[in-house]
């Protein structure tokens, strides 16, 4: 699976969410920029993303995913 496919899959299902995807093959690091997701508990945020990637994880297209979440404000202020 390509990083652009992962990005498109998540962004198409979560309105007002931007995803920066790093990695290739079956290992990806996600930087998720979303005020709505950032307001959730850490477990709920991860559950939202894993629910979208469940089929790809099950079939082995994605093996490992790490995630960091940012509000839009925090993302724009990062150094």
């Amino acid at each position: 699976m390509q990083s652009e496919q992962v990005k498109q899959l998540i962004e198409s299902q979560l309105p007002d969410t931007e995803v920066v995807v790093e990695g290739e093959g079956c290992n990806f690091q996600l930087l998720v920029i979303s005020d709505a997701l950032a307001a959730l508990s850490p477990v709920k945020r991860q559950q939202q993303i894993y629910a979208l990637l469940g089929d790809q994880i099950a079939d082995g297209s994605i093996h490992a995913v790490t995630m960091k979440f940012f509000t839009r404000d925090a993302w724009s202020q990062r150094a």
Side-chain angles (χ1 to χ4, degrees), residues 2 6 10 29 49 54 61 64 68 72:
Q2 299 297 316
V6 175
I10 296 170
Q29 299 80 43
I49 300 300
S61 299
K68 290 186 181 179
R72 293 201 176 276

Side-chain angles (χ1 to χ4, degrees), residues 8-78:
Q8 189 174 32
L9 176 67
I10 296 170
E11 289 181 349
S12 69
Q13 298 296 314
L14 294 174
D16 300 318
T17 298
E18 179 183 349
V19 182
V20 176
V21 181
E22 298 174 354
E24 58 185 41
C26 59
N27 298 309
F28 297 97
Q29 299 80 43
L30 308 178
L31 304 176
V32 183
I33 303 100
S34 169
D35 289 337
L37 287 177
L40 299 174
S41 73
V43 171
K44 293 288 184 191
R45 290 187 291 224
Q46 289 184 357
Q47 287 174 337
Q48 290 268 338
I49 300 300
Y50 282 130
L52 298 175
L53 302 176
D55 290 341
Q56 291 73 22
I57 292 170
D59 72 13
S61 299
I62 296 176
H63 173 69
V65 178
T66 59
M67 300 173 230
K68 290 186 181 179
F69 294 86
F70 299 88
T71 62
R72 293 201 176 276
D73 187 47
W75 180 254
S76 67
Q77 293 182 18
R78 70 183 176 20

